[in-house]
Amino acid sequence: QVQLVESGGGLVQAGGSLRLSCAASGRTFSTYSMGWFRQAPGKEREFAAAINWSGNTDYADSVKGRFTISRDRAKNTVYLQMNSLKPEDTAVYYCAADPSWVPRIATGVRYWGRGTLVTVSS
């Protein structure tokens, strides 16, 4: 059974930082691509960042330069370092994994975590 478990969400003031973690279990994810999506209230789930097995990354324009995705293949864990947070970053952040490349469209993702809430106050 594949499991993705997110942690690290919380309440932070605008301009602050948070680091999200996603621990994967149930199979070897070292060759999988992993990523993060987010969903704000009343909005669709949107792509934020992804990283493949060799370390290539992709970012949404809205987070580029502020967020950094990384992974520890030995620990089957992916991280999202979020700096210079803005109120519009408030959302539930979901971890995603896919055997090929994490697509930018949520409906194409193979595995999901349950999400962790990030709230940025102004």
Side-chain angles (χ1 to χ4, degrees):
Q1 183 178 357
V2 173
Q3 270 197 318
L4 301 175
V5 180
E6 303 95 334
S7 61
L11 174 64
V12 63
Q13 288 189 333
S17 298
L18 279 176
R19 190 177 83 151
L20 305 183
S21 299
C22 171
S25 61
R27 63 181 307 136
T28 301
F29 281 88
S30 60
T31 60
Y32 275 48
S33 291
M34 299 183 72
W36 293 92
F37 283 68
R38 64 186 185 180
Q39 188 166 18
K43 295 189 177 182
E44 293 187 352
R45 193 170 299 188
E46 65 174 12
F47 171 81
I51 185 168
N52 73 355
W53 66 274
S54 62
N56 295 315
T57 57
D58 185 24
Y59 295 96
D61 288 344
S62 58
V63 308
K64 196 174 294 183
R66 300 187 299 122
F67 291 9
T68 302
I69 190 169
S70 60
R71 69 188 296 170
D72 185 329
R73 291 173 62 185
K75 294 182 178 179
N76 277 349
T77 299
V78 65
Y79 305 97
L80 187 67
Q81 178 66 44
M82 305 185 295
N83 299 328
S84 302
L85 282 162
K86 306 174 182 179
E88 52 263 43
D89 294 318
T90 295
V92 177
Y93 282 71
Y94 295 91
C95 181
D98 198 277
S100 57
W101 180 244
V102 171
R104 287 187 166 222
I105 300 174
T107 53
V109 173
R110 180 74 65 89
Y111 301 110
W112 290 104
R114 292 193 173 190
T116 185
L117 177 63
V118 172
T119 304
V120 184
S121 64
S122 57

